[in-house]
Amino acid sequence: MSPISRPPSVPGHPFIAYQADELQVEGVPLSRLAQDHGTPLFVYSKAAMLDALGAYQRGFAGRHAQICYAMKANSSLGVLQVFAQAGCGFDIVSGGELERVVAAGGDAAKVIFSGVGKTRAEMAQALNAGIGCFNVESEAELDVLSTVALGMGLTAPVSIRVNPNVDPKTHPYISTGLKGNKFGVAHEDALRIYQYAASLKGLHVVGIDCHIGSQITTTEPYLDAMDKVLELVTSIEAAGIPIEHIDFGGGLGIDYNHDTPPQADALWQQLLAKIDAKGFADKKLMIEPGRSLVGNAGVCVTEVLYLKPGEQKNFCIIDAAMNDLPRPAMYQAFHAIVPLSITAKPQAIYDVVGPVCESGDWIGRDRALNVAAGDFMAVLSAGAYCMSMASNYNTRGRAAEVLVAGDTARVIRQRETAQDQMRGEQLA
Ligand code: LLP
């Protein structure tokens, strides 16, 4: 029998740790949750979310700042409630997300609405709700928003998303601030478009916005983007258009696989120095972090269904799949996979795969695991862009979700049934 391989301490997960060889989220053993609620099961730590938020709050101490959680990362109501109660606003990208904010008790006045394709109906819904700002991404959208607002006898507060043409050095699918991306308006065109926005009767220019990408693990792209944004604020204000707030987007990476992203407070120390040096210390600051607030606050607990040895590969077939954890299939993303209980079992190298009928349905490749069928494992760093991107492919119900706070575990989403999935369908 090979030696027990003790998984390293759980990287980047301050509230998820082994206690007496049993993986716990805060004070709750995950195997108990797996037995009580079944698998696949997403489990989140409230303390980890608040801890991640704390790093931004420390970074902004003494400043006029608003943290708008980018809820696309995880839009479950119980997660939104944590951030709403902590005083956060929300970055939304659809009318559906706005309904979720309201349902979770969030404050519409602290909502900013991003995205390249807002519909007229979504604009009207957001104006009715009294959201804080529209982050507009094109001239055509400025025209439509102004018309919609005028039709309602209102003016819409707007920022324009400026594309600083900075390479965030991340996966191409999640780079957003380069020329050639669909997002934002070109840096060179920004002043002219601000002048145009200021001329439209249905709009009130309040800010400037920028977001360069996601899972950014170095500081330089942020510093470069801030220089470009501040340069623009100077020229827009010189043209007589006051900028009340600077929204610097989201994007800060997390530790998936020994990644070392900058810490939010340290990063903001450097960014604030740039803002102050340009004489903008009194401007309101906004940010839209998603992944860095929830990613390492969550795990997906899964059961090993079968071990399937092969000539070229051994497969470890689990009950979670690409419909629950789409990031490996979509971005070749790495998620650490660890057992819930550390036991003496033979070790082998496995590809960890799900039951979905696609070769792309893999969760981890070439992983050394000491496991047997029936064991539970945890897929780490699963708090962001997993449940919110989950699908019903293969008519698999979406997983249940549990929020842990101290020794208490609450179900925040029931497991989806086939009946839930067929609701709204009918025979022809
Ligand atoms: N603001 C805007 C305008 C965004 O487009 C995004 C993310 C965020 C904020 C939040 O970025 P974060 O802080 O989470 O990096 N599904 C991909 C990530 C897509 C990110 C899209 N935009 C993944 O699983 O890696």
Side-chain angles (χ1 to χ4, degrees), residues 56 70 72-73 91 93 114-115 137 161 173-174 176 183 209 211 213-216 249-253 256 288-292 327 331 384-385 389:
Y56 286 102
K72 63 171 80 67
D91 171 48
V93 288
S114 301
E137 305 225 13
R161 177 166 172 182
Y173 284 12
I174 51 177
T176 57
F183 299 102
D209 169 49
H211 171 82
S214 197
Q215 186 53 19
I216 299 170
L252 201 54
Y256 284 103
E288 309 159 4
R291 187 192 318 266
S292 51
R327 304 191 65 260
Y331 318 109
Y385 301 112
M389 298 205 304

PDB file of all heavy atoms in Angstrom, residues 56 70 72-73 91 93 114-115 137 161 173-174 176 183 209 211 213-216 249-253 256 288-292 327 331 384-385 389, ligand 1:
ATOM      1  N   TYR A  56     -10.822  44.540   0.477  1.00  0.00           N
ATOM      2  CA  TYR A  56     -11.178  45.743  -0.298  1.00  0.00           C
ATOM      3  C   TYR A  56     -11.551  46.890   0.640  1.00  0.00           C
ATOM      4  O   TYR A  56     -11.181  48.042   0.411  1.00  0.00           O
ATOM      5  CB  TYR A  56     -12.345  45.443  -1.242  1.00  0.00           C
ATOM      6  CG  TYR A  56     -11.976  44.608  -2.450  1.00  0.00           C
ATOM      7  CD1 TYR A  56     -12.267  43.255  -2.498  1.00  0.00           C
ATOM      8  CD2 TYR A  56     -11.342  45.181  -3.534  1.00  0.00           C
ATOM      9  CE1 TYR A  56     -11.950  42.489  -3.606  1.00  0.00           C
ATOM     10  CE2 TYR A  56     -11.013  44.426  -4.661  1.00  0.00           C
ATOM     11  CZ  TYR A  56     -11.319  43.079  -4.685  1.00  0.00           C
ATOM     12  OH  TYR A  56     -10.992  42.333  -5.790  1.00  0.00           O
ATOM     13  N   ALA A  70     -19.836  41.916  -8.351  1.00  0.00           N
ATOM     14  CA  ALA A  70     -20.212  41.488  -9.714  1.00  0.00           C
ATOM     15  C   ALA A  70     -20.899  40.137  -9.588  1.00  0.00           C
ATOM     16  O   ALA A  70     -20.258  39.089  -9.531  1.00  0.00           O
ATOM     17  CB  ALA A  70     -18.973  41.395 -10.608  1.00  0.00           C
ATOM     18  N   LYS A  72     -22.496  38.179 -11.382  1.00  0.00           N
ATOM     19  CA  LYS A  72     -22.398  37.085 -12.363  1.00  0.00           C
ATOM     20  C   LYS A  72     -21.510  35.969 -11.826  1.00  0.00           C
ATOM     21  O   LYS A  72     -21.630  34.828 -12.227  1.00  0.00           O
ATOM     22  CB  LYS A  72     -21.881  37.607 -13.707  1.00  0.00           C
ATOM     23  CG  LYS A  72     -20.480  38.180 -13.650  1.00  0.00           C
ATOM     24  CD  LYS A  72     -19.932  38.479 -15.017  1.00  0.00           C
ATOM     25  CE  LYS A  72     -20.422  39.783 -15.611  1.00  0.00           C
ATOM     26  NZ  LYS A  72     -19.921  40.992 -14.885  1.00  0.00           N
ATOM     27  N   ALA A  73     -20.610  36.293 -10.890  1.00  0.00           N
ATOM     28  CA  ALA A  73     -19.712  35.268 -10.343  1.00  0.00           C
ATOM     29  C   ALA A  73     -20.499  34.211  -9.560  1.00  0.00           C
ATOM     30  O   ALA A  73     -20.170  33.030  -9.603  1.00  0.00           O
ATOM     31  CB  ALA A  73     -18.656  35.912  -9.448  1.00  0.00           C
ATOM     32  N   ASP A  91     -22.984  44.866  -9.246  1.00  0.00           N
ATOM     33  CA  ASP A  91     -22.779  45.077 -10.674  1.00  0.00           C
ATOM     34  C   ASP A  91     -23.624  44.032 -11.381  1.00  0.00           C
ATOM     35  O   ASP A  91     -23.418  42.832 -11.180  1.00  0.00           O
ATOM     36  CB  ASP A  91     -21.295  44.887 -11.014  1.00  0.00           C
ATOM     37  CG  ASP A  91     -21.040  44.864 -12.520  1.00  0.00           C
ATOM     38  OD1 ASP A  91     -21.563  45.753 -13.211  1.00  0.00           O
ATOM     39  OD2 ASP A  91     -20.321  43.962 -12.997  1.00  0.00           O
ATOM     40  N   VAL A  93     -25.725  42.581 -15.053  1.00  0.00           N
ATOM     41  CA  VAL A  93     -25.622  42.568 -16.511  1.00  0.00           C
ATOM     42  C   VAL A  93     -26.920  42.135 -17.180  1.00  0.00           C
ATOM     43  O   VAL A  93     -26.925  41.855 -18.377  1.00  0.00           O
ATOM     44  CB  VAL A  93     -24.456  41.668 -16.999  1.00  0.00           C
ATOM     45  CG1 VAL A  93     -23.111  42.309 -16.700  1.00  0.00           C
ATOM     46  CG2 VAL A  93     -24.528  40.288 -16.394  1.00  0.00           C
ATOM     47  N   SER A 114     -23.892  46.927 -16.175  1.00  0.00           N
ATOM     48  CA  SER A 114     -22.864  46.777 -17.209  1.00  0.00           C
ATOM     49  C   SER A 114     -23.388  45.909 -18.343  1.00  0.00           C
ATOM     50  O   SER A 114     -24.441  45.277 -18.211  1.00  0.00           O
ATOM     51  CB  SER A 114     -21.622  46.092 -16.624  1.00  0.00           C
ATOM     52  OG  SER A 114     -21.095  46.818 -15.551  1.00  0.00           O
ATOM     53  N   GLY A 115     -22.623  45.836 -19.420  1.00  0.00           N
ATOM     54  CA  GLY A 115     -22.948  44.900 -20.506  1.00  0.00           C
ATOM     55  C   GLY A 115     -23.184  45.598 -21.818  1.00  0.00           C
ATOM     56  O   GLY A 115     -23.739  46.697 -21.854  1.00  0.00           O
ATOM     57  N   GLU A 137     -21.720  51.113 -23.126  1.00  0.00           N
ATOM     58  CA  GLU A 137     -20.600  50.533 -23.861  1.00  0.00           C
ATOM     59  C   GLU A 137     -20.528  50.936 -25.321  1.00  0.00           C
ATOM     60  O   GLU A 137     -19.651  50.478 -26.054  1.00  0.00           O
ATOM     61  CB  GLU A 137     -20.662  49.000 -23.746  1.00  0.00           C
ATOM     62  CG  GLU A 137     -20.712  48.523 -22.295  1.00  0.00           C
ATOM     63  CD  GLU A 137     -19.792  47.357 -21.989  1.00  0.00           C
ATOM     64  OE1 GLU A 137     -18.916  47.052 -22.823  1.00  0.00           O
ATOM     65  OE2 GLU A 137     -19.957  46.764 -20.921  1.00  0.00           O
ATOM     66  N   ARG A 161     -17.989  53.065 -20.446  1.00  0.00           N
ATOM     67  CA  ARG A 161     -16.916  52.098 -20.241  1.00  0.00           C
ATOM     68  C   ARG A 161     -15.843  52.325 -21.288  1.00  0.00           C
ATOM     69  O   ARG A 161     -16.096  52.217 -22.492  1.00  0.00           O
ATOM     70  CB  ARG A 161     -17.460  50.677 -20.344  1.00  0.00           C
ATOM     71  CG  ARG A 161     -16.370  49.636 -20.206  1.00  0.00           C
ATOM     72  CD  ARG A 161     -16.946  48.285 -19.984  1.00  0.00           C
ATOM     73  NE  ARG A 161     -15.939  47.236 -20.024  1.00  0.00           N
ATOM     74  CZ  ARG A 161     -16.225  45.947 -19.882  1.00  0.00           C
ATOM     75  NH1 ARG A 161     -17.481  45.575 -19.701  1.00  0.00           N
ATOM     76  NH2 ARG A 161     -15.285  45.055 -19.928  1.00  0.00           N
ATOM     77  N   TYR A 173     -10.475  34.367 -23.416  1.00  0.00           N
ATOM     78  CA  TYR A 173     -11.927  34.473 -23.271  1.00  0.00           C
ATOM     79  C   TYR A 173     -12.324  35.439 -22.161  1.00  0.00           C
ATOM     80  O   TYR A 173     -13.468  35.861 -22.100  1.00  0.00           O
ATOM     81  CB  TYR A 173     -12.539  33.103 -22.940  1.00  0.00           C
ATOM     82  CG  TYR A 173     -12.650  32.147 -24.091  1.00  0.00           C
ATOM     83  CD1 TYR A 173     -12.020  32.395 -25.292  1.00  0.00           C
ATOM     84  CD2 TYR A 173     -13.407  30.990 -23.959  1.00  0.00           C
ATOM     85  CE1 TYR A 173     -12.111  31.502 -26.341  1.00  0.00           C
ATOM     86  CE2 TYR A 173     -13.507  30.093 -25.007  1.00  0.00           C
ATOM     87  CZ  TYR A 173     -12.856  30.345 -26.200  1.00  0.00           C
ATOM     88  OH  TYR A 173     -12.959  29.456 -27.223  1.00  0.00           O
ATOM     89  N   ILE A 174     -11.399  35.717 -21.234  1.00  0.00           N
ATOM     90  CA  ILE A 174     -11.764  36.594 -20.123  1.00  0.00           C
ATOM     91  C   ILE A 174     -10.918  37.866 -20.088  1.00  0.00           C
ATOM     92  O   ILE A 174     -10.813  38.537 -19.090  1.00  0.00           O
ATOM     93  CB  ILE A 174     -11.761  35.847 -18.761  1.00  0.00           C
ATOM     94  CG1 ILE A 174     -10.460  35.078 -18.522  1.00  0.00           C
ATOM     95  CG2 ILE A 174     -12.935  34.881 -18.674  1.00  0.00           C
ATOM     96  CD1 ILE A 174     -10.383  34.377 -17.163  1.00  0.00           C
ATOM     97  N   THR A 176     -10.879  41.595 -21.510  1.00  0.00           N
ATOM     98  CA  THR A 176     -11.961  42.440 -22.021  1.00  0.00           C
ATOM     99  C   THR A 176     -11.505  43.845 -22.405  1.00  0.00           C
ATOM    100  O   THR A 176     -12.262  44.579 -23.028  1.00  0.00           O
ATOM    101  CB  THR A 176     -13.089  42.576 -20.976  1.00  0.00           C
ATOM    102  OG1 THR A 176     -12.518  43.100 -19.775  1.00  0.00           O
ATOM    103  CG2 THR A 176     -13.742  41.244 -20.677  1.00  0.00           C
ATOM    104  N   PHE A 183     -15.991  44.934 -25.841  1.00  0.00           N
ATOM    105  CA  PHE A 183     -16.394  45.761 -24.703  1.00  0.00           C
ATOM    106  C   PHE A 183     -15.914  47.204 -24.819  1.00  0.00           C
ATOM    107  O   PHE A 183     -14.862  47.468 -25.383  1.00  0.00           O
ATOM    108  CB  PHE A 183     -15.842  45.164 -23.405  1.00  0.00           C
ATOM    109  CG  PHE A 183     -16.362  43.786 -23.151  1.00  0.00           C
ATOM    110  CD1 PHE A 183     -15.582  42.676 -23.412  1.00  0.00           C
ATOM    111  CD2 PHE A 183     -17.648  43.601 -22.678  1.00  0.00           C
ATOM    112  CE1 PHE A 183     -16.077  41.397 -23.194  1.00  0.00           C
ATOM    113  CE2 PHE A 183     -18.153  42.330 -22.461  1.00  0.00           C
ATOM    114  CZ  PHE A 183     -17.362  41.228 -22.720  1.00  0.00           C
ATOM    115  N   ASP A 209     -15.846  54.415 -16.424  1.00  0.00           N
ATOM    116  CA  ASP A 209     -15.793  53.000 -16.056  1.00  0.00           C
ATOM    117  C   ASP A 209     -14.774  52.282 -16.924  1.00  0.00           C
ATOM    118  O   ASP A 209     -14.542  52.660 -18.074  1.00  0.00           O
ATOM    119  CB  ASP A 209     -17.198  52.404 -16.271  1.00  0.00           C
ATOM    120  CG  ASP A 209     -17.210  50.893 -16.169  1.00  0.00           C
ATOM    121  OD1 ASP A 209     -16.649  50.368 -15.193  1.00  0.00           O
ATOM    122  OD2 ASP A 209     -17.790  50.239 -17.054  1.00  0.00           O
ATOM    123  N   HIS A 211     -12.963  48.051 -17.248  1.00  0.00           N
ATOM    124  CA  HIS A 211     -12.771  46.686 -16.709  1.00  0.00           C
ATOM    125  C   HIS A 211     -11.934  45.955 -17.739  1.00  0.00           C
ATOM    126  O   HIS A 211     -12.331  45.839 -18.889  1.00  0.00           O
ATOM    127  CB  HIS A 211     -14.128  45.996 -16.512  1.00  0.00           C
ATOM    128  CG  HIS A 211     -14.019  44.541 -16.171  1.00  0.00           C
ATOM    129  ND1 HIS A 211     -13.785  44.094 -14.897  1.00  0.00           N
ATOM    130  CD2 HIS A 211     -14.070  43.431 -16.945  1.00  0.00           C
ATOM    131  CE1 HIS A 211     -13.715  42.769 -14.901  1.00  0.00           C
ATOM    132  NE2 HIS A 211     -13.881  42.339 -16.136  1.00  0.00           N
ATOM    133  N   GLY A 213     -10.425  42.747 -17.581  1.00  0.00           N
ATOM    134  CA  GLY A 213     -10.400  41.289 -17.709  1.00  0.00           C
ATOM    135  C   GLY A 213     -10.598  40.637 -16.361  1.00  0.00           C
ATOM    136  O   GLY A 213     -10.914  41.315 -15.383  1.00  0.00           O
ATOM    137  N   SER A 214     -10.426  39.330 -16.340  1.00  0.00           N
ATOM    138  CA  SER A 214     -10.716  38.571 -15.134  1.00  0.00           C
ATOM    139  C   SER A 214      -9.547  37.630 -14.834  1.00  0.00           C
ATOM    140  O   SER A 214      -8.751  37.318 -15.724  1.00  0.00           O
ATOM    141  CB  SER A 214     -12.004  37.782 -15.375  1.00  0.00           C
ATOM    142  OG  SER A 214     -12.565  37.325 -14.181  1.00  0.00           O
ATOM    143  N   GLN A 215      -9.461  37.167 -13.580  1.00  0.00           N
ATOM    144  CA  GLN A 215      -8.363  36.293 -13.131  1.00  0.00           C
ATOM    145  C   GLN A 215      -7.017  36.931 -13.493  1.00  0.00           C
ATOM    146  O   GLN A 215      -6.124  36.295 -14.062  1.00  0.00           O
ATOM    147  CB  GLN A 215      -8.521  34.867 -13.688  1.00  0.00           C
ATOM    148  CG  GLN A 215      -7.510  33.843 -13.169  1.00  0.00           C
ATOM    149  CD  GLN A 215      -7.417  33.759 -11.642  1.00  0.00           C
ATOM    150  OE1 GLN A 215      -8.316  34.192 -10.938  1.00  0.00           O
ATOM    151  NE2 GLN A 215      -6.342  33.232 -11.110  1.00  0.00           N
ATOM    152  N   ILE A 216      -6.877  38.212 -13.128  1.00  0.00           N
ATOM    153  CA  ILE A 216      -5.621  38.931 -13.346  1.00  0.00           C
ATOM    154  C   ILE A 216      -4.739  38.684 -12.118  1.00  0.00           C
ATOM    155  O   ILE A 216      -5.187  38.835 -10.983  1.00  0.00           O
ATOM    156  CB  ILE A 216      -5.895  40.443 -13.538  1.00  0.00           C
ATOM    157  CG1 ILE A 216      -6.793  40.631 -14.772  1.00  0.00           C
ATOM    158  CG2 ILE A 216      -4.593  41.220 -13.673  1.00  0.00           C
ATOM    159  CD1 ILE A 216      -7.332  42.032 -14.928  1.00  0.00           C
ATOM    160  N   GLY A 249     -13.816  48.691 -12.238  1.00  0.00           N
ATOM    161  CA  GLY A 249     -14.131  47.319 -12.646  1.00  0.00           C
ATOM    162  C   GLY A 249     -13.731  46.278 -11.614  1.00  0.00           C
ATOM    163  O   GLY A 249     -13.548  46.575 -10.436  1.00  0.00           O
ATOM    164  N   GLY A 250     -13.616  45.050 -12.100  1.00  0.00           N
ATOM    165  CA  GLY A 250     -13.235  43.940 -11.208  1.00  0.00           C
ATOM    166  C   GLY A 250     -11.986  43.286 -11.749  1.00  0.00           C
ATOM    167  O   GLY A 250     -11.121  43.968 -12.299  1.00  0.00           O
ATOM    168  N   GLY A 251     -11.901  41.990 -11.589  1.00  0.00           N
ATOM    169  CA  GLY A 251     -10.850  41.267 -12.291  1.00  0.00           C
ATOM    170  C   GLY A 251      -9.758  40.658 -11.457  1.00  0.00           C
ATOM    171  O   GLY A 251      -8.965  39.857 -11.979  1.00  0.00           O
ATOM    172  N   LEU A 252      -9.667  41.026 -10.185  1.00  0.00           N
ATOM    173  CA  LEU A 252      -8.558  40.505  -9.375  1.00  0.00           C
ATOM    174  C   LEU A 252      -8.638  38.985  -9.287  1.00  0.00           C
ATOM    175  O   LEU A 252      -9.682  38.423  -8.972  1.00  0.00           O
ATOM    176  CB  LEU A 252      -8.613  41.136  -7.989  1.00  0.00           C
ATOM    177  CG  LEU A 252      -7.312  41.122  -7.199  1.00  0.00           C
ATOM    178  CD1 LEU A 252      -6.179  41.736  -7.998  1.00  0.00           C
ATOM    179  CD2 LEU A 252      -7.494  41.903  -5.904  1.00  0.00           C
ATOM    180  N   GLY A 253      -7.524  38.324  -9.576  1.00  0.00           N
ATOM    181  CA  GLY A 253      -7.492  36.867  -9.611  1.00  0.00           C
ATOM    182  C   GLY A 253      -7.476  36.243  -8.225  1.00  0.00           C
ATOM    183  O   GLY A 253      -7.341  36.934  -7.209  1.00  0.00           O
ATOM    184  N   TYR A 256      -5.893  29.520  -7.648  1.00  0.00           N
ATOM    185  CA  TYR A 256      -6.428  28.214  -8.050  1.00  0.00           C
ATOM    186  C   TYR A 256      -5.362  27.134  -7.920  1.00  0.00           C
ATOM    187  O   TYR A 256      -5.642  26.027  -7.534  1.00  0.00           O
ATOM    188  CB  TYR A 256      -6.886  28.251  -9.519  1.00  0.00           C
ATOM    189  CG  TYR A 256      -8.190  28.970  -9.770  1.00  0.00           C
ATOM    190  CD1 TYR A 256      -8.211  30.253 -10.298  1.00  0.00           C
ATOM    191  CD2 TYR A 256      -9.410  28.345  -9.512  1.00  0.00           C
ATOM    192  CE1 TYR A 256      -9.408  30.903 -10.556  1.00  0.00           C
ATOM    193  CE2 TYR A 256     -10.611  28.987  -9.765  1.00  0.00           C
ATOM    194  CZ  TYR A 256     -10.603  30.260 -10.285  1.00  0.00           C
ATOM    195  OH  TYR A 256     -11.789  30.908 -10.543  1.00  0.00           O
ATOM    196  N   GLU A 288     -15.965  46.613  -9.088  1.00  0.00           N
ATOM    197  CA  GLU A 288     -16.928  45.537  -9.418  1.00  0.00           C
ATOM    198  C   GLU A 288     -16.262  44.171  -9.271  1.00  0.00           C
ATOM    199  O   GLU A 288     -16.162  43.416 -10.235  1.00  0.00           O
ATOM    200  CB  GLU A 288     -17.393  45.696 -10.876  1.00  0.00           C
ATOM    201  CG  GLU A 288     -17.883  47.065 -11.275  1.00  0.00           C
ATOM    202  CD  GLU A 288     -17.839  47.275 -12.797  1.00  0.00           C
ATOM    203  OE1 GLU A 288     -17.507  46.341 -13.549  1.00  0.00           O
ATOM    204  OE2 GLU A 288     -18.141  48.390 -13.231  1.00  0.00           O
ATOM    205  N   PRO A 289     -15.807  43.818  -8.079  1.00  0.00           N
ATOM    206  CA  PRO A 289     -15.153  42.506  -7.954  1.00  0.00           C
ATOM    207  C   PRO A 289     -16.170  41.377  -7.886  1.00  0.00           C
ATOM    208  O   PRO A 289     -17.232  41.512  -7.277  1.00  0.00           O
ATOM    209  CB  PRO A 289     -14.393  42.611  -6.625  1.00  0.00           C
ATOM    210  CG  PRO A 289     -15.150  43.631  -5.839  1.00  0.00           C
ATOM    211  CD  PRO A 289     -15.847  44.544  -6.805  1.00  0.00           C
ATOM    212  N   GLY A 290     -15.857  40.272  -8.530  1.00  0.00           N
ATOM    213  CA  GLY A 290     -16.730  39.103  -8.480  1.00  0.00           C
ATOM    214  C   GLY A 290     -15.967  37.924  -7.909  1.00  0.00           C
ATOM    215  O   GLY A 290     -16.058  37.590  -6.727  1.00  0.00           O
ATOM    216  N   ARG A 291     -15.138  37.312  -8.769  1.00  0.00           N
ATOM    217  CA  ARG A 291     -14.405  36.103  -8.401  1.00  0.00           C
ATOM    218  C   ARG A 291     -13.668  36.224  -7.061  1.00  0.00           C
ATOM    219  O   ARG A 291     -13.699  35.312  -6.242  1.00  0.00           O
ATOM    220  CB  ARG A 291     -13.383  35.810  -9.499  1.00  0.00           C
ATOM    221  CG  ARG A 291     -12.659  34.499  -9.325  1.00  0.00           C
ATOM    222  CD  ARG A 291     -11.452  34.397 -10.283  1.00  0.00           C
ATOM    223  NE  ARG A 291     -11.702  34.860 -11.607  1.00  0.00           N
ATOM    224  CZ  ARG A 291     -12.083  34.102 -12.649  1.00  0.00           C
ATOM    225  NH1 ARG A 291     -12.222  32.812 -12.483  1.00  0.00           N
ATOM    226  NH2 ARG A 291     -12.283  34.631 -13.837  1.00  0.00           N
ATOM    227  N   SER A 292     -12.982  37.377  -6.865  1.00  0.00           N
ATOM    228  CA  SER A 292     -12.128  37.492  -5.675  1.00  0.00           C
ATOM    229  C   SER A 292     -12.943  37.550  -4.388  1.00  0.00           C
ATOM    230  O   SER A 292     -12.405  37.359  -3.303  1.00  0.00           O
ATOM    231  CB  SER A 292     -11.213  38.718  -5.792  1.00  0.00           C
ATOM    232  OG  SER A 292     -11.987  39.867  -6.107  1.00  0.00           O
ATOM    233  N   ARG A 327     -15.886  25.341 -15.897  1.00  0.00           N
ATOM    234  CA  ARG A 327     -14.657  26.080 -16.183  1.00  0.00           C
ATOM    235  C   ARG A 327     -13.545  25.237 -16.820  1.00  0.00           C
ATOM    236  O   ARG A 327     -12.866  25.716 -17.730  1.00  0.00           O
ATOM    237  CB  ARG A 327     -14.143  26.809 -14.934  1.00  0.00           C
ATOM    238  CG  ARG A 327     -15.187  27.745 -14.309  1.00  0.00           C
ATOM    239  CD  ARG A 327     -14.626  28.660 -13.245  1.00  0.00           C
ATOM    240  NE  ARG A 327     -13.675  29.587 -13.791  1.00  0.00           N
ATOM    241  CZ  ARG A 327     -12.360  29.449 -13.714  1.00  0.00           C
ATOM    242  NH1 ARG A 327     -11.839  28.435 -13.070  1.00  0.00           N
ATOM    243  NH2 ARG A 327     -11.571  30.322 -14.271  1.00  0.00           N
ATOM    244  N   TYR A 331     -12.427  26.751 -20.297  1.00  0.00           N
ATOM    245  CA  TYR A 331     -11.173  27.529 -20.302  1.00  0.00           C
ATOM    246  C   TYR A 331      -9.953  26.677 -19.972  1.00  0.00           C
ATOM    247  O   TYR A 331      -8.901  27.233 -19.644  1.00  0.00           O
ATOM    248  CB  TYR A 331     -11.227  28.661 -19.262  1.00  0.00           C
ATOM    249  CG  TYR A 331     -12.523  29.415 -19.168  1.00  0.00           C
ATOM    250  CD1 TYR A 331     -13.350  29.268 -18.060  1.00  0.00           C
ATOM    251  CD2 TYR A 331     -12.924  30.294 -20.167  1.00  0.00           C
ATOM    252  CE1 TYR A 331     -14.550  29.970 -17.954  1.00  0.00           C
ATOM    253  CE2 TYR A 331     -14.107  30.987 -20.072  1.00  0.00           C
ATOM    254  CZ  TYR A 331     -14.919  30.818 -18.962  1.00  0.00           C
ATOM    255  OH  TYR A 331     -16.086  31.504 -18.861  1.00  0.00           O
ATOM    256  N   ALA A 384     -16.948  30.747  -7.498  1.00  0.00           N
ATOM    257  CA  ALA A 384     -17.202  31.732  -8.560  1.00  0.00           C
ATOM    258  C   ALA A 384     -17.326  31.056  -9.910  1.00  0.00           C
ATOM    259  O   ALA A 384     -16.531  30.165 -10.240  1.00  0.00           O
ATOM    260  CB  ALA A 384     -16.062  32.758  -8.621  1.00  0.00           C
ATOM    261  N   TYR A 385     -18.274  31.509 -10.703  1.00  0.00           N
ATOM    262  CA  TYR A 385     -18.443  31.064 -12.093  1.00  0.00           C
ATOM    263  C   TYR A 385     -18.604  29.555 -12.196  1.00  0.00           C
ATOM    264  O   TYR A 385     -18.114  28.951 -13.163  1.00  0.00           O
ATOM    265  CB  TYR A 385     -17.281  31.574 -12.963  1.00  0.00           C
ATOM    266  CG  TYR A 385     -17.155  33.074 -12.961  1.00  0.00           C
ATOM    267  CD1 TYR A 385     -16.067  33.722 -12.366  1.00  0.00           C
ATOM    268  CD2 TYR A 385     -18.153  33.871 -13.526  1.00  0.00           C
ATOM    269  CE1 TYR A 385     -15.961  35.104 -12.351  1.00  0.00           C
ATOM    270  CE2 TYR A 385     -18.055  35.256 -13.516  1.00  0.00           C
ATOM    271  CZ  TYR A 385     -16.960  35.867 -12.924  1.00  0.00           C
ATOM    272  OH  TYR A 385     -16.870  37.231 -12.917  1.00  0.00           O
ATOM    273  N   MET A 389     -22.825  29.515 -13.815  1.00  0.00           N
ATOM    274  CA  MET A 389     -22.721  29.083 -15.216  1.00  0.00           C
ATOM    275  C   MET A 389     -23.216  27.655 -15.392  1.00  0.00           C
ATOM    276  O   MET A 389     -23.058  27.063 -16.465  1.00  0.00           O
ATOM    277  CB  MET A 389     -21.268  29.189 -15.702  1.00  0.00           C
ATOM    278  CG  MET A 389     -20.715  30.605 -15.678  1.00  0.00           C
ATOM    279  SD  MET A 389     -19.350  30.871 -16.852  1.00  0.00           S
ATOM    280  CE  MET A 389     -18.209  29.618 -16.343  1.00  0.00           C
TER     281      MET A 389
HETATM  282  N1  LLP B   1     -17.265  43.890 -14.225  1.00  0.00           N
HETATM  283  C1  LLP B   1     -17.441  43.553 -15.507  1.00  0.00           C
HETATM  284  C2  LLP B   1     -17.917  44.557 -16.444  1.00  0.00           C
HETATM  285  C3  LLP B   1     -17.186  42.230 -15.932  1.00  0.00           C
HETATM  286  O1  LLP B   1     -17.336  41.910 -17.212  1.00  0.00           O
HETATM  287  C4  LLP B   1     -16.738  41.274 -14.990  1.00  0.00           C
HETATM  288  C5  LLP B   1     -16.491  39.880 -15.386  1.00  0.00           C
HETATM  289  C6  LLP B   1     -16.585  41.675 -13.648  1.00  0.00           C
HETATM  290  C7  LLP B   1     -16.841  42.993 -13.300  1.00  0.00           C
HETATM  291  C8  LLP B   1     -16.135  40.733 -12.575  1.00  0.00           C
HETATM  292  O2  LLP B   1     -14.856  40.258 -12.811  1.00  0.00           O
HETATM  293  P1  LLP B   1     -14.121  39.366 -11.705  1.00  0.00           P
HETATM  294  O3  LLP B   1     -13.833  40.254 -10.531  1.00  0.00           O
HETATM  295  O4  LLP B   1     -15.038  38.270 -11.359  1.00  0.00           O
HETATM  296  O5  LLP B   1     -12.915  38.901 -12.393  1.00  0.00           O
HETATM  297  N2  LLP B   1     -16.613  32.955 -16.538  1.00  0.00           N
HETATM  298  C9  LLP B   1     -15.221  33.358 -16.478  1.00  0.00           C
HETATM  299  C10 LLP B   1     -15.083  34.772 -15.973  1.00  0.00           C
HETATM  300  C11 LLP B   1     -15.832  35.781 -16.823  1.00  0.00           C
HETATM  301  C12 LLP B   1     -15.717  37.188 -16.297  1.00  0.00           C
HETATM  302  C13 LLP B   1     -16.580  38.126 -17.072  1.00  0.00           C
HETATM  303  N3  LLP B   1     -16.632  39.461 -16.572  1.00  0.00           N
HETATM  304  C14 LLP B   1     -14.446  32.365 -15.610  1.00  0.00           C
HETATM  305  O6  LLP B   1     -15.041  31.411 -15.113  1.00  0.00           O
HETATM  306  O7  LLP B   1     -13.235  32.495 -15.448  1.00  0.00           O
END
